[in-house]
Amino acid sequence: MTTDQILLFVIFICVFGLLLWGRYRYDLVAFGALLVGVLIGVVPASEAFSGFGHPATLVVALVLIVSAGLVNSGAVGLITRALVDSSRGLGAHIAIMGSVGAVLSAFMNNVAALALLMPVDLQTAKKAKRAAGLSLMPLSFATILGGMVTMIGTPPNIIIATIREDSLGEAFRMFDFAPVGLVAAISGLLFVSTIGWRLIPQVEVDSPVEKLLDNANYIAELTVPADSDLIGKTPFDLSEEAEKADIAIIGVIREGRRLYGNARYRKLLAGDALVLEARPEALDEFRSAAKLDFDQERRQEKVKAAGEGLALSEVVVTEHSRIAGKSSLAIGLNWRQNTILMGISRNGKPIRSQVRRTIIQPGDILLLLTPKETHNHVVDWLGCLPLVERGLQVTQDEKTWLAIGIFAAAVVAASFGLVYLPVALGVVVALFTLTRIVPISEVYTHIEWPVVVLLGSMIPLGVALETSGGTELIANSLIGLTEGMPAWVILTVLMVVTMTLSDVLNNTATTIVAAPVGIKMAESLGVSPDPFLMAVAVAASCAFLTPIGHKNNTLILGPGGYRFGDYWRTGLPLEILIVAVSIPAILVFWPL
């Protein structure tokens, strides 16, 4: 091995190791690795940021904006409104929801598709009085499967198409993935709707959200007596003592008026009532220590959180949520947004003590107490996904068919090669903005910037690995291990290795490394590289064994009440099935 190859292998090993560890966000890991590569000379400085202008990066960003436009216009709601029918059997429900999820995922970001359908699925499970965990995992898997059908359905397909263009001079077109993708997706959907859901470990009918609500802390109003030492002090002066007692000061009631955000620094007067949230025992201890009185008109009454001017909401934390990896205290949830974190559900179990000091993880469900008028703003600020459909969300129903028409025209134009795909999607975004389907102020908020940074950073590293001969070295090693075996066996080995990596690593990083290896393997064997690229595309998308292999699997972790080890029971046979049906399909539609 050359010095450059050794250095690049060390960088990639460190990247994969840090991604597995999960201590640092993957975009920071990738960008740091890129800078190291430039500083030690294995990535040319002139090419350091070429990945940020790469077609794959642009397409991923544009697809996210287009997805938002389809949601805003009501195009997606047009489909989902007819879905809630609790009288259907579980298998039929999974088949219908999974099919819709797969179709949506073929043309929009699959995380967005799951985010739209998850509240519908939870609502249906509640009406049918069955565990949501029985249908959420199949729904997540279905949205992952659907992304394999088109070029824009999932980042691995976009990356594969552009790598083919860079290496062979021509990219895959929009529906080149469909023959193999459809075989894999339909087979997978049939499995999860008939057998797969039966393999999910027994989950409780009561959802994690209901457990949180059942154990929700109390909201009480404690009055400042006329002779209190607190007169002249502010609620902020009491915040440190309140936090030690695990109590949150929500606001102040003065002369019958509820004051929330503007009460933090107001001096307390005799007769003011502090609105507090806490467990009953902590509440009584704080009342005694601060020498406060129960409201004389409602003595000893503990008012539940859905009181006047306040709203309870349940949200699920994503990898990119502002609160992920932090506590609500650290991000100032209370004083910045006048919002109280009342409970956390993790792996189906509620966390009730010191919730505001607990470090939040992706997949957690949060029970929030927010002012009604700012409820949606708080959820957006946190970057979390609501678990019930938003009552105040306004769709532009009059623009539904306009949005569908613009998007369909772009897809047709790109499919027939009339317009380069990134340009076609760029035109869609421009028209969505001009027609205010996506307001100009929201365009950049819909882009998943960590994925853009990941792609922009990993692409130059992947190119450096290829130009240094590193990918050829890996390809030759795999061929050496399978020496004397038929080409289809070698193809299967590549697919299994890629799928295994994708189960524990980011599928974008896996694709950037595996695709050039597939091309080199094909060149060494003297066969077409297309079946190898298709094998990588399918394998990189199919991460079903763990909750960390795909973002959709992470999102359902809390709402479904799953544990880490629950995924492989359904995921392993599904992955085996995908390999079993995809290899013959690849050999038929993309012969060696």
Side-chain angles (χ1 to χ4, degrees):
M1 284 195 294
T2 66
T3 302
D4 281 1
Q5 288 174 351
I6 293 171
L7 291 173
L8 282 164
F9 280 131
V10 169
I11 288 174
F12 273 97
I13 289 170
C14 291
V15 167
F16 290 158
L18 288 169
L19 291 177
L20 277 172
W21 185 25
R23 177 66 177 80
Y24 301 103
R25 224 169 63 179
Y26 58 76
D27 53 325
L28 298 179
V29 171
F31 191 68
L34 172 63
L35 294 180
V36 170
V38 174
L39 291 174
I40 63 177
V42 294
V43 176
S46 59
E47 299 294 321
F49 303 112
S50 59
F52 291 92
H54 196 273
T57 310
L58 294 174
V59 170
V60 167
L62 292 169
V63 165
L64 290 167
I65 302 172
V66 171
S67 297
L70 294 174
V71 174
N72 290 352
S73 68
V76 175
L78 192 68
I79 301 170
T80 59
R81 275 195 293 266
L83 289 180
V84 181
D85 185 353
S86 57
S87 64
R88 291 192 190 107
L90 182 55
H93 169 77
I94 291 172
I96 292 171
M97 288 288 288
S99 298
V100 172
V103 171
L104 290 177
S105 296
F107 296 100
M108 62 188 296
N109 179 265
N110 47 24
V111 177
L114 177 65
L116 288 166
L117 294 177
M118 187 161 59
V120 177
D121 193 66
L122 289 169
Q123 183 180 350
T124 306
K126 186 175 182 179
K127 287 184 177 180
K129 297 181 179 177
R130 58 171 167 76
L134 292 174
S135 54
L136 275 180
M137 189 181 293
L139 178 60
S140 172
F141 289 175
T143 54
I144 295 171
L145 290 165
M148 297 188 291
V149 177
T150 67
M151 177 182 161
I152 63 173
T154 184
N157 285 8
I158 297 169
I159 295 166
I160 290 289
T162 54
I163 286 178
R164 187 182 191 273
E165 183 179 23
D166 293 341
S167 301
L168 307 177
E170 185 179 354
F172 283 126
R173 291 171 298 178
M174 175 71 75
F175 292 105
D176 282 348
F177 297 88
V180 177
L182 277 172
V183 169
I186 292 171
S187 301
L189 281 171
L190 288 172
F191 171 77
V192 296
S193 60
T194 55
I195 300 171
W197 66 268
R198 303 175 194 274
L199 303 177
I200 298 171
Q202 189 64 40
V203 288
E204 298 179 34
V205 175
D206 288 339
S207 72
V209 173
E210 288 171 335
K211 289 182 183 178
L212 276 181
L213 289 169
D214 289 342
N215 295 300
N217 287 354
Y218 288 111
I219 303 300
E221 298 171 8
L222 300 181
T223 305
V224 179
D227 58 349
S228 175
D229 295 336
L230 300 181
I231 295 173
K233 292 185 178 180
T234 66
F236 178 77
D237 296 330
L238 303 175
S239 58
E240 185 176 348
E241 187 176 347
E243 282 296 339
K244 287 180 181 177
D246 201 18
I247 285 175
I249 301 174
I250 300 173
V252 175
I253 296 177
R254 178 172 295 169
E255 297 177 352
R257 291 181 57 239
R258 290 177 178 265
L259 311 174
Y260 293 114
N262 56 352
R264 187 174 177 81
Y265 298 104
R266 289 201 180 194
K267 292 183 178 181
L268 295 173
L269 305 176
D272 284 352
L274 290 173
V275 184
L276 307 170
E277 178 268 337
R279 289 171 295 153
E281 60 272 19
L283 190 67
D284 194 55
E285 181 181 337
F286 182 76
R287 180 194 64 80
S288 177
K291 295 182 174 58
L292 295 166
D293 291 334
F294 282 109
D295 191 306
Q296 293 301 314
E297 295 180 3
R298 289 182 280 177
R299 178 174 291 276
Q300 303 293 342
E301 179 185 0
K302 297 180 175 69
V303 184
K304 277 292 193 181
E308 181 185 350
L310 297 172
L312 273 176
S313 58
E314 309 89 44
V315 299
V316 63
V317 179
T318 73
E319 285 180 315
H320 311 304
S321 297
R322 186 188 298 265
I323 200 171
K326 305 180 182 72
S327 67
S328 71
L329 199 60
I331 66 168
L333 183 63
N334 186 353
W335 63 269
R336 282 184 174 177
Q337 299 295 330
N338 307 316
T339 295
I340 303 300
L341 175 60
M342 296 187 67
I344 305 166
S345 178
R346 179 171 297 163
N347 299 337
K349 297 178 180 178
I351 298 174
R352 299 304 311 151
S353 61
Q354 297 296 319
V355 292
R356 285 173 287 278
R357 297 181 184 274
T358 300
I359 302 299
I360 305 301
Q361 299 176 5
D364 285 353
I365 299 175
L366 308 183
L367 183 63
L368 303 174
L369 184 69
T370 64
K372 285 182 179 177
E373 65 273 12
T374 62
H375 162 68
N376 285 347
H377 167 73
V378 171
V379 175
D380 290 337
W381 182 80
L382 283 171
C384 295
L385 298 177
L387 289 182
V388 293
E389 294 179 290
R390 296 189 183 190
L392 297 177
Q393 188 172 8
V394 178
T395 56
Q396 305 173 54
D397 293 327
E398 72 280 1
K399 297 178 181 177
T400 297
W401 292 107
L402 174 62
I404 292 173
I406 292 171
F407 180 60
V411 169
V412 171
S415 300
F416 286 98
L418 301 176
V419 183
Y420 188 39
L421 179 63
V423 175
L425 291 173
V427 170
V428 173
V429 170
L431 291 175
F432 276 8
T433 305
L434 288 173
T435 55
R436 296 197 59 78
I437 292 172
V438 178
I440 188 67
S441 60
E442 296 180 9
V443 168
Y444 295 110
T445 63
H446 293 294
I447 297 175
E448 201 171 331
W449 292 108
V451 174
V452 171
V453 173
L454 173 70
L455 271 171
S457 303
M458 289 298 293
I459 287 172
L461 287 169
V463 170
L465 187 66
E466 185 176 2
T467 54
S468 71
T471 53
E472 187 173 1
L473 196 62
I474 298 172
N476 291 336
S477 299
L478 286 175
I479 292 172
L481 290 172
T482 55
E483 189 174 0
M485 296 182 183
W488 68 267
V489 174
I490 299 173
L491 186 66
T492 305
V493 170
L494 174 65
M495 193 170 185
V496 171
V497 170
T498 303
M499 194 176 282
T500 303
L501 284 174
S502 191
D503 277 315
V504 293
L505 297 176
N506 182 281
N507 58 11
T508 300
T510 300
T511 306
I512 289 171
V513 175
V517 169
I519 293 174
K520 293 297 181 184
M521 290 175 74
E523 290 175 354
S524 299
L525 294 168
V527 298
S528 170
D530 286 340
F532 286 81
L533 287 173
M534 281 291 162
V536 171
V538 172
S541 295
C542 293
F544 304 121
L545 295 188
T546 68
I548 61 173
H550 195 282
K551 295 170 193 171
N552 285 14
N553 292 346
T554 305
L555 289 179
I556 63 167
L557 183 63
Y562 303 119
R563 294 170 299 178
F564 193 97
D566 289 344
Y567 288 76
W568 71 269
R569 298 167 185 265
T570 301
L572 181 58
L574 178 57
E575 288 195 359
I576 293 171
L577 173 67
I578 296 299
V579 173
V581 300
S582 296
I583 293 296
I586 289 170
L587 295 176
V588 169
F589 295 109
W590 300 93
L592 293 165

